Amino acid sequence: MAAHHLILLLLALIASSSSPAAFAADPNQLQDFCVADTNSNIIVNGFVCKDPNLVTENDFLYSGLNHPGNTANQLGSNVTLVFAQQFPGLNTLGVAGARLDFAAGGVNPPHTHPRASELLVVIKGTLYAGFVASNNKLYTKVLYEGDAFIFPQGLIHFQFNNGKSDAVAWASFGSQNPGRVDIANAVFGAKPPISKYLLEKSFQLDEKTVELLQAKLWITNS
C-alpha cells in the first residue's frame, strides 16, 4: 500500500511539473490586479500591492513611448524599459515591454533575460538580430518593418542596426521583471572582478588583454 501511494505521489509530481503553469516565468495572480507600491520597504518576490481603494486609472497607464531614446552613446542604442518598476500596474500580471531605439550602426550587445522570453517587433528601419542556442548554433535574421522575432528565455541574443537610418523596435516579455545580463559587462565588469587567471584560461587571452578589458567602462542598456 505504501508503495502504491508513493507511485501516485510521483505521478502527481511529474504531472504538475509538466503543466504550463509550472513553467510560467511568474506565478499566477490571485486577484484582478496588484498595482505595485514602489515606496514600500517590505521585501517580497515582486512588489507589495498598493491599497486597491487608492488605485486609479492612471495606475494602468504608461505614457511617453512616442519619444525616441537617446542613442548618443558608445553603443548607438537606447532601451526604454516598461517593467513593473517603471509601470507599477504590471505587477503580478506576468508581462513587460521595452522600446528599443538604434542609430545607424547601433547595437544592443549580446545579453540574456534569465526570467523571460522576448518577442521583438520592428517598427521602423531594419535590424540584424539573432540568438545562440545551447548547442552553440546561431540563429539570425535581417528584420524589416513589421517583422517579429522571438528570443527564447535565457539564451544569448542581440540586435544590430545594419541600415543607414534610425531603427525602432518594440520588445514584449513574459515576465514583469525579465532581468538582463550583459555578457561582456558580466564577465569583464564584475565587481569584485573575476580572477584574471581564470579569464585568461577560459578565453585564451594574455594577462594584458584581460586587464585592458576589465579596465573598460562597460555600459549597458538595462
Side-chain angles (χ1 to χ4, degrees), residues 68-69 71 76 101-105 124-127 145 161 163-168:
T71 59
D101 289 275
F102 298 84
K124 173 186 175 184
T126 64
L127 291 174
E145 294 179 14
N161 181 0
K164 297 182 179 179
S165 59
D166 294 346
V168 180

Side-chain angles (χ1 to χ4, degrees), residues 5 15 17 22 29 33 46 57 63 77 87 99 124 129 131 134 143 152 157 171 179 182 187 196 200:
H5 287 164
S17 67
Q29 68 219 56
F33 54 80
E57 293 84 353
S63 300
S77 66
F87 188 6
R99 170 178 171 145
K124 173 186 175 184
F131 66 88
S134 57
L143 307 176
H157 60 284
D182 284 88
V187 173
K196 287 188 291 185
E200 291 169 29

Side-chain angles (χ1 to χ4, degrees), residues 89-114:
L90 294 180
N91 190 42
T92 75
L93 299 184
V95 295
R99 170 178 171 145
L100 288 71
D101 289 275
F102 298 84
V107 302
N108 192 11
H111 62 281
T112 71
H113 299 293

Side-chain angles (χ1 to χ4, degrees), residues 82-84 90 94-98 170-178:
V82 189
F83 293 0
L90 294 180
V95 295
W170 173 257
S172 298
F173 302 94
S175 169
Q176 70 177 50
N177 183 20

Side-chain angles (χ1 to χ4, degrees), residues 105-189:
V107 302
N108 192 11
H111 62 281
T112 71
H113 299 293
R115 293 182 291 275
S117 296
E118 174 184 349
L119 178 65
L120 183 80
V121 179
V122 178
I123 298 172
K124 173 186 175 184
T126 64
L127 291 174
Y128 170 73
F131 66 88
V132 181
S134 57
N135 62 357
N136 282 346
K137 183 173 181 179
L138 175 65
Y139 295 85
T140 62
K141 196 74 178 177
V142 176
L143 307 176
Y144 301 92
E145 294 179 14
D147 287 348
F149 198 78
I150 189 73
F151 303 110
Q153 179 175 344
L155 298 186
I156 296 173
H157 60 284
F158 56 84
Q159 299 98 30
F160 162 57
N161 181 0
N162 60 336
K164 297 182 179 179
S165 59
D166 294 346
V168 180
W170 173 257
S172 298
F173 302 94
S175 169
Q176 70 177 50
N177 183 20
R180 175 173 171 134
V181 179
D182 284 88
I183 306 306
N185 184 49
V187 173
F188 296 106

Side-chain angles (χ1 to χ4, degrees), residues 33-74:
F33 54 80
C34 172
V35 174
D37 180 357
T38 56
N39 295 317
S40 173
N41 294 321
I42 300 175
I43 299 175
V44 296
N45 184 24
F47 295 97
V48 174
C49 299
K50 182 178 179 179
D51 184 342
N53 294 319
L54 301 178
V55 171
T56 71
E57 293 84 353
N58 290 332
D59 289 308
F60 304 103
L61 173 69
Y62 184 97
S63 300
L65 289 171
N66 56 317
H67 300 299
N70 183 7
T71 59
N73 54 60
Q74 67 191 62

